[in-house]
Amino acid sequence: MQEELDKVTVRNFPISLNNIRVIAVNVVEAQHRQRRSAPLTSGASKEWKARVQKAGAAEWQVVNDLDHLDRILTRS
């Protein structure tokens, strides 16, 4: 969810995310929040969520607890 992009980086392009689970890992926040269980509510996170949902993603989730990422990735 990096927002400090250079001027030549293009991120607004059509993409289909139908039936794809999107799991965003906010590493900086994870380090500062010490395993906070609630998802981030920052403006950037909300914008990305809207973008992936519009592209058809089956799920959007923000993960801050990298110690338990395997539980999220292996669930059915």
Side-chain angles (χ1 to χ4, degrees), residues 60-74:
W60 163 265
Q61 187 171 4
V62 177
V63 176
N64 291 321
D65 188 353
L66 299 178
D67 292 335
H68 301 290
L69 185 58
D70 58 323
R71 293 180 191 170
I72 293 165
L73 295 175
T74 58

Side-chain angles (χ1 to χ4, degrees), residues 20-60:
I20 294 175
R21 292 175 57 206
V22 176
I23 300 173
V25 179
N26 194 330
V27 177
V28 173
E29 289 294 329
Q31 292 170 351
H32 291 297
R33 293 177 187 267
Q34 298 289 328
R35 297 183 181 93
R36 179 178 174 221
S37 59
L40 296 176
T41 58
S42 72
S45 178
K46 288 179 183 178
E47 289 174 17
W48 276 105
K49 179 179 181 179
R51 290 179 69 185
V52 299
Q53 287 177 330
K54 184 178 178 182
E59 180 181 351
W60 163 265

